[in-house]
Structure formats: C-alpha cells, structure tokens
Amino acid sequence: MAEEEGPTIELRQRKKPKSSENKESAKEEKINNTAIPERVPKHILFQRFAKIFIGCLAAVTSGMMYALYLSAYHERKFWFSNRQELEREITFQGDSAIYYSYYKDMLKAPSFERGVYELTHNNKTVSLKTINAVQQMSLYPELIASVLYQATGSNEIIEPVYFYIGIVFGLQGIYVTALFVTSWLMSGTWLAGMLTVAWFIINRVDTTRIEYSIPLRENWALPYFACQVAALTGYLKSNLNSYGEVHEVYKIYIFSLFLGYLLQFENSALLVSPLLSFVIALMLAKCLQLNVKKGTFVAKIMKVINFYLVCTLTVTLNIVMKMFVPHKENGHMLKFLEVKFGLNMTKNFTMNWLLCQESLQAPSQEFFLRLTQSSLLPFYILVLITCFFSVIQVIFRRINSGKSLKETITLEDGQIGERPEIIYHVIHTILLGSLAMIIEGLKYLWTPYVCMLAAFGVCSPELWMTLFKWLRLRTVHPVLLALILSMAVPTIIGLSLWKEFFPRLMTELMELQEFYDPDTVELMTWIKRQAPVAAVFAGSPQLMGVIKLCTGWMVTSLPLYNDDDLLKRNENIYQIYSKRPAEDIYKILTSYKANYLIVEDAICNEVGTMRGCRVKDLLDIANGHAVCEEGDKITYSKHGRFCREVKINYSPYVNYFTRVYWNRSYFVYKINTVISFQS
C-alpha cells in the first residue's frame, strides 16, 4: 500500500510590504488591539466639567480683574480723565511718545492706504531723512488699533487715547490669563494659576513696564508670546510620546519665521538667525537617522554621531546663509558685548551711553531682594533645581538604556523630568534667565516666567514626589504627603501674600496722584503757538519724541537705537552739552537744517548717581576733554561747556543763537540764518 502523501509545503522568502501597506496594516492592527474604553460614570464627568469650568472662570476673571486694576491705577496715578489732551500726551515719554504719535497720524489720514503709505515713506518726522516707520519701529499694533477704532465706530463713543490704552490693558489681561493657563496645564490644578497671578501682580515692578510706558513694543508682544507658550505647553502635554508630532513644532516655527520675514519687509536678520539653522539641522538629522536596535553599543555611537551632525550642520548652514543672504552685520552689538564683559574698552559716546542705560546693565541686588521678599525666588530655585536634575536623570537613563519616554507616568514614579513640557520649560527658563542676568531689561521677559514655573512646582504633587524619591522618604507614605503638600504649601503662600501685600495694593490704588510737569506743558504750548509750521527742532532724543507727539513739528533726532544714522545724529546733537566752541555746534545744527535748539537744564546741570554716566562726562571722554588717571578725572578744554556759555549772551554765542523762550527747565534758541559778529 502506497504511503499517503502529506500536504506539500513550499518555503519562500516573504516580500517586504510597501511602506503605505505597512502603515495601513499597522494602523489596522492598532485599531484592532485598542481596547474599547469603558463609559465614564456621570459623577466623574461632572467633576471634570466642574473643575474645568471653575478653572476657566478663574483664569478669565483674573485677566479681567488685572486689566481693570491697571486702568484704575493709571487713572489714579496720572489723574488722567481730568487732564487736557496735551497733558495726557506728555505722560508718554521717550520712545513711547513716538509710537503713539504715529497712531494719531493714522487717525488723521484720509484713508488707511494713504496713512500706511505716509508711514512707510515718512519724511515729516526727521529732517533730511525719509524712513519706513512701520519697519523701523514695528508699528503694526498702531495700524491695527487705528483700523479697529474707526471700523468699530468708537470715534463717536470714546477718545482715541482711551481706546489705545484700553487695548493695551486688555492685552495685559490676556497675558495674565495665558500665564494662569500655562501653570494650570503643567500642574493639573487651577490653584497654581491663582498663585501665578498673585506673584505676577505683587512683583509687577519687575514683571512689566506697563505702568509708566504703555505703548512699548513689549506690552503688545508679550501677551502673544505667553499665549504661544500656553499653546505649546498643551501640545507637548497631549503628545507625550509622539516624537514625530512634536517634530511638527519645528515646521510651525519655520513657517512663523518666514511669515515674520515677509511682514517685517524681508528682514534678512531672521534668515541668518542661528536658531533657524539649528532647527533645520535637527530636521535634517531626523531624516538621516538610521533604525538601529535601541540599547546597543551601536545605538549609543549613533546618538553621539547624531549630536555631532546637528552641531556641524547648524554652523555650516548658518555660514552658508550669511554668504548668500544679504544682511547687515551686528557689529555694534558685538562691540557692546565686548565692552560690557570687559573684553575691550572704548571712548565712543554712543557705546558708553548705551552701557550706562539702566535697562542694559546687569540686575541690581534690589531686584533679587524684591523677588525674595515676595517668596518667589526661593520657591523658583527649588522648582528649577528639582526639574533640572530630574531632566538630566531622564536623559542619562535614556542614553544608557535606549528607552524612550514612558507611555504613562504615574505619581509613584517620581520622575517629573519624563514629561516633554517640563523639559521644554526647563530649557526655556534657563535661557531666558541667562539673558536676564546679563541685561536687566530682559527681566520683563523672564520674571513672569518665574512666577508661572514657581507656582506650577509648589502645586504639583509630581515635583514633591520626585523630591521624596531622591530623599528616600520612608516614615510617611510619600504619595499621600506629596498630595498634602501640593495643596498646603500654595495655600500657606497665598494667605501670607494676601496678608502682607494686599493692603499695599489697595493703598496704592486708593491714593490719588497727579502727573505735574508745567514746564514741558508750557514749552509745547509755546511751540504750537509761536514756532513756524516748517520749523525743525534740535535737542535731546527723549524731548524730541515728546515734541513730535505733542506738536507734530519736525525734529533732528529720535529716541531709537536700531538705526546707525539716528545713533550718530543723537551723538552729534548731544554735543550741545560738551565743551566745544559755538561755531562747531552751529555747523552741526545747520547740517541737519535745524531752526531751533532746546537746552535742558536737567542734562546741563546733571548730578548723576552713577559715576561717569552723566551725558556731559561721556562727551568729555569721547572728545578728549577729560582723562581718567588712577581714578581721578583730569579735565581740560579751552572752551566752556556750551549749554552754560550760551545762556550768558555774549559773543560769539549771540552771533549764532538768539534766545526766544525760556522757563525753569528749558531754554529755546533760534539758530540765526544770518551771522552778525559783535564785539
């Protein structure tokens, strides 16, 4: 009997499926393997809804209350509603006056298109100079505000100045709300948001300049920045383990940068930014990554190679960009940093004058003392150190084991550094803090961040659990203690802040102050009544900004420091406070077609608190009229100080200049077109 044949088996090599088929099969497998979630009980849904509703209500209420607080404080500080228009406008000082003046110009324009054209081809502000004011001063906020004012019919309801400051105060409310939401997202409790707002308001001297410089660019930009940070925090938190989707942030950044490049009139500085080269290098390195088994020696070597590749690509791309993209080298910025860090010395007036500006110096001890007194700095340091070392711990664990971030992080793990949004914020706050330690003006970008991060930390059970895990706490159940502390500590902080600082805030809000500057009011009134419409005024840049706003007359310089020509003009005009002869000053002023000169007693007779930072001292050093030897200043010049000599009314000063107006603070001189020498 023949043996029964079994089924024939054919062995063959399996064909590798196409990528699209592979993706679809993987997707189907994922769908099939995904467990159907059980229906959540109604009481749990109600608790979640109540938590979100109360949190959102608290966030919006905090923003609205802060905006109302700013409005009330501004009214009390300046007695704003009881002032004439001229007195209101004088409260906008320096560069703030310039921004608001262009908002007024847009409202006076016959049409929006005509107004924009006049701003982009502006030859009515600075003598002998046509500027693109929108590009040079970032006037998009003023353009939008003017459109909204007219489109909403607000011109029939509210004065332009109230509409303008109302928008800025409203943005500050959005700013506070965004900080609230960010802290809430990170900690999981809206109690952190409340603490963030409390710290922000208490430390408002170091978190914002809105109280005395409303139109500043940062007051328009920082609320949007805070909203971006909140959105990115939520995105990173919801995409815990999808590296490919976090990778989308790079694309969003590149798109935003390109959009900014177009809106800023093809600003080439954005294209040669090292950060852009770094992002592109990261994306290229991601595309070139090989699929190597994790945890192996080869995988570790590949990570080192990948890091080296990113660094090399970043430098290479940045060099190539600078070769092919026309741009202005930031030589003055490099020189500024060299002098600031003591790597170089200079007698240049502009450089030394910038170094003397309070906002460009390192933070003072009072700054850290204020943050400590409000308990903000100690808790921030605690939170930052904990998060930083947790992140480092996670990075080393990933390098050694090759494991990626956990799918789910439990409270018992005590690994707050596993969360992508924590990694992002740790890097972000260190970078911002480093900049703030160099330049005090950047504290307004960093300190609100400090409020948010410190509040998140003390309200986060994960942070306390991470600490307890390092301390190997055994006596008390660490999870229970972490939950208790995350509620008790912020509550105690909040009560102490309320007891100490709330009465101060109420006192400040109830005090009726008054902005009193009659000399400047008289000067502006005289210019509007007596000076010819075509007159050009010369004086300090800060005063020129006020003249441009309050009178509309043309000036020789502006308080702007992003233009080399304007910086040079400022230095030349400041020579009126130097020890140079009348003839030199006359030549400088007539070269800019100036008709009137304004001398300020506050600058001429300045008694500076900071040694060597008075305008007249800086001019003497730059002009070689003063030499510092062994700490002693030796002064020599055959001419007296111009701002003093011109007041005496003797030859040769009266030959070039005729005094036409003066008060306690200002002396106005007409620059003679015909020189008559008197004996």
Side-chain angles (χ1 to χ4, degrees):
M1 185 175 174
E3 187 177 1
E4 187 177 353
E5 292 182 351
T8 58
I9 300 175
E10 182 182 359
L11 297 175
R12 60 180 181 178
Q13 188 176 4
R14 180 189 294 179
K15 292 181 179 179
K16 190 174 182 180
K18 295 180 180 179
S19 59
S20 59
E21 294 175 357
N22 194 17
K23 287 181 181 177
E24 289 184 10
S25 61
K27 193 181 292 184
E28 290 177 4
E29 184 179 351
K30 186 177 180 181
I31 294 172
N32 293 332
N33 293 336
T34 303
I36 300 174
E38 297 180 2
R39 181 174 293 179
V40 181
K42 289 184 178 180
H43 68 280
I44 296 179
L45 285 175
F46 178 77
Q47 289 178 358
R48 291 179 182 174
F49 173 78
K51 180 181 177 181
I52 294 173
F53 176 78
I54 294 174
C56 291
L57 184 63
V60 174
T61 303
S62 298
M64 293 177 63
M65 292 298 293
Y66 180 62
L68 292 173
Y69 166 80
L70 287 177
S71 179
Y73 182 80
H74 182 261
E75 171 63 27
R76 289 280 178 175
K77 183 177 182 180
F78 295 105
W79 206 19
F80 210 67
S81 60
N82 291 275
R83 294 321 214 170
Q84 300 295 324
E85 183 180 6
L86 178 60
E87 294 174 314
R88 292 174 183 171
E89 292 178 348
I90 288 176
T91 63
F92 298 118
Q93 299 288 318
D95 50 349
S96 295
I98 297 297
Y99 300 130
Y100 184 74
S101 71
Y102 287 120
Y103 167 71
K104 282 179 59 179
D105 290 344
M106 282 298 299
L107 296 181
K108 295 175 183 176
S111 66
F112 178 76
E113 293 78 10
R114 184 62 189 174
V116 172
Y117 179 82
E118 289 179 354
L119 290 186
T120 53
H121 301 78
N122 188 281
N123 58 2
K124 298 179 180 179
T125 299
V126 183
S127 62
L128 303 178
K129 188 175 178 67
T130 299
I131 60 175
N132 184 340
V134 179
Q135 177 186 9
Q136 198 159 345
M137 303 175 203
S138 301
L139 294 180
Y140 286 108
E142 282 67 32
L143 297 182
I144 295 172
S146 63
V147 169
L148 290 175
Y149 182 71
Q150 293 174 334
T152 57
S154 300
N155 51 346
E156 300 176 357
I157 305 172
I158 189 173
E159 295 179 53
V161 64
Y162 282 108
F163 185 83
Y164 184 90
I165 64 176
I167 292 179
V168 183
F169 289 158
L171 285 174
Q172 303 314 298
I174 295 174
Y175 189 12
V176 164
T177 300
L179 292 173
F180 184 111
V181 170
T182 305
S183 189
W184 178 17
L185 286 171
M186 293 174 67
S187 64
T189 171
W190 50 264
L191 188 62
M194 298 293 291
L195 187 56
T196 300
V197 175
W199 266 328
F200 181 91
I201 296 176
I202 289 169
N203 295 282
R204 70 185 189 282
V205 174
D206 301 303
T207 56
T208 178
R209 284 187 279 197
I210 187 70
E211 292 180 2
Y212 54 90
S213 296
I214 293 176
L216 286 180
R217 301 301 83 183
E218 65 194 49
N219 294 332
W220 293 88
L222 288 181
Y224 295 102
F225 173 73
C227 291
Q228 291 171 9
V229 170
L232 186 56
T233 301
Y235 182 81
L236 292 173
K237 185 174 182 178
S238 62
N239 293 275
L240 179 64
N241 215 3
S242 9
Y243 182 78
E245 295 179 6
V246 175
H247 194 62
E248 295 296 321
V249 174
Y250 300 149
K251 298 178 182 178
I252 296 172
Y253 170 78
I254 292 176
F255 171 77
S256 302
L257 192 115
F258 179 70
L259 185 62
Y261 168 76
L262 295 177
L263 290 176
Q264 294 183 25
F265 299 87
E266 300 181 359
N267 184 1
S268 57
L270 296 176
L271 298 182
V272 297
S273 165
L275 185 58
L276 175 62
S277 302
F278 178 67
V279 170
I280 296 175
L282 284 173
M283 297 181 72
L284 290 174
K286 172 66 178 174
C287 297
L288 296 174
Q289 273 185 347
L290 300 177
N291 188 15
V292 183
K293 187 176 180 181
K294 294 177 181 178
T296 63
F297 176 76
V298 178
K300 295 177 183 179
I301 295 296
M302 289 304 299
K303 286 181 179 178
V304 175
I305 294 174
N306 185 64
F307 176 78
Y308 174 77
L309 183 64
V310 170
C311 295
T312 307
L313 277 174
T314 300
V315 176
T316 305
L317 285 171
N318 195 248
I319 293 174
V320 171
M321 287 282 195
K322 289 183 177 180
M323 287 174 59
F324 291 97
V325 177
H327 68 287
K328 288 184 179 180
E329 289 287 350
N330 294 323
H332 60 282
M333 182 57 67
L334 294 176
K335 291 179 182 177
F336 171 80
L337 293 175
E338 286 178 2
V339 177
K340 184 173 180 64
F341 291 119
L343 301 176
N344 198 354
M345 293 186 67
T346 181
K347 292 184 177 180
N348 181 268
F349 169 80
T350 300
M351 191 65 63
N352 288 326
W353 185 79
L354 289 173
L355 285 167
C356 284
Q357 299 305 301
E358 184 179 352
S359 60
L360 295 178
Q361 295 176 9
S364 61
Q365 293 182 355
E366 288 76 13
F367 166 63
F368 298 104
L369 183 62
R370 288 192 298 268
L371 297 188
T372 303
Q373 287 175 341
S374 65
S375 72
L376 174 60
L377 190 59
F379 284 108
Y380 168 75
I381 293 174
L382 171 67
V383 173
L384 179 61
I385 290 175
T386 305
C387 292
F388 176 76
F389 282 107
S390 181
V391 168
I392 296 297
Q393 190 179 38
V394 169
I395 291 173
F396 275 105
R397 188 185 299 118
R398 289 187 63 189
I399 292 174
N400 293 329
S401 65
K403 294 180 181 179
S404 59
L405 297 178
K406 290 187 176 183
E407 289 288 346
T408 55
I409 302 174
T410 61
L411 182 58
E412 289 81 359
D413 292 331
Q415 296 178 359
I416 197 168
E418 289 271 5
R419 292 164 52 182
E421 72 273 20
I422 301 300
I423 298 173
Y424 160 71
H425 282 291
V426 166
I427 296 173
H428 210 181
T429 190
I430 290 175
L431 291 175
L432 295 178
S434 302
L435 293 173
M437 294 304 103
I438 300 172
I439 299 175
E440 186 177 14
L442 294 176
K443 71 180 181 180
Y444 300 105
L445 183 63
W446 178 64
T447 315
Y449 216 92
V450 171
C451 299
M452 180 271 297
L453 204 65
F456 137 73
V458 298
C459 296
S460 174
E462 288 179 81
L463 183 126
W464 295 108
M465 191 62 199
T466 302
L467 275 175
F468 296 153
K469 193 170 183 180
W470 290 345
L471 298 173
R472 301 181 183 277
L473 188 66
R474 303 290 185 187
T475 55
V476 183
H477 197 285
V479 174
L480 179 61
L481 185 59
L483 290 170
I484 293 174
L485 287 178
S486 65
M487 293 293 291
V489 172
T491 302
I492 294 171
I493 294 173
L495 291 174
S496 63
L497 293 178
W498 178 278
K499 181 180 179 181
E500 182 176 357
F501 292 98
F502 184 74
R504 298 185 192 178
L505 294 175
M506 290 298 101
T507 302
E508 291 176 354
L509 197 59
M510 297 306 295
E511 286 181 351
L512 183 60
Q513 304 178 42
E514 182 179 2
F515 182 79
Y516 186 69
D517 190 2
D519 293 344
T520 305
V521 172
E522 290 174 6
L523 174 64
M524 299 303 149
T525 303
W526 181 86
I527 292 174
K528 294 174 74 173
R529 291 178 179 175
Q530 302 295 330
V533 177
V536 177
F537 283 83
S540 69
Q542 289 71 24
L543 181 60
M544 295 302 99
V546 178
I547 288 177
K548 168 64 177 70
L549 168 60
C550 297
T551 68
W553 265 245
M554 195 175 290
V555 295
T556 56
S557 59
L558 289 175
L560 299 172
Y561 315 114
N562 58 354
D563 183 273
D564 293 336
D565 179 62
L566 286 176
L567 284 173
K568 188 63 179 175
R569 282 179 177 239
N570 293 343
E571 180 178 351
N572 290 337
I573 299 299
Y574 265 132
Q575 296 298 325
I576 63 178
Y577 301 104
S578 69
K579 295 181 178 181
R580 293 181 62 174
E583 183 180 2
D584 287 1
I585 304 299
Y586 180 81
K587 288 179 179 179
I588 290 173
L589 296 174
T590 52
S591 69
Y592 295 123
K593 301 297 182 183
N595 305 113
Y596 291 91
L597 167 66
I598 303 178
V599 175
E600 299 174 61
D601 250 6
I603 301 177
C604 188
N605 301 319
E606 181 181 8
V607 182
T609 55
M610 188 178 300
R611 183 173 183 178
C613 277
R614 297 183 301 180
V615 168
K616 53 188 178 182
D617 293 338
L618 297 175
L619 288 167
D620 290 345
I621 293 172
N623 296 335
H625 296 156
V627 179
C628 293
E629 293 182 359
E630 299 179 358
D632 296 325
K633 188 175 293 182
I634 302 174
T635 303
Y636 59 91
S637 175
K638 63 180 181 180
H639 301 285
R641 197 167 300 281
F642 174 84
C643 61
R644 294 173 184 164
E645 300 295 320
V646 74
K647 297 177 185 177
I648 303 177
N649 286 332
Y650 67 84
S651 183
Y653 296 93
V654 293
N655 304 326
Y656 298 103
F657 308 96
T658 303
R659 188 164 65 191
V660 292
Y661 173 80
W662 70 94
N663 58 31
R664 291 175 301 177
S665 302
Y666 304 102
F667 291 79
V668 182
Y669 296 89
K670 189 176 187 303
I671 301 171
N672 299 333
T673 54
V674 178
I675 304 174
S676 58
F677 288 94
Q678 302 175 13
S679 57

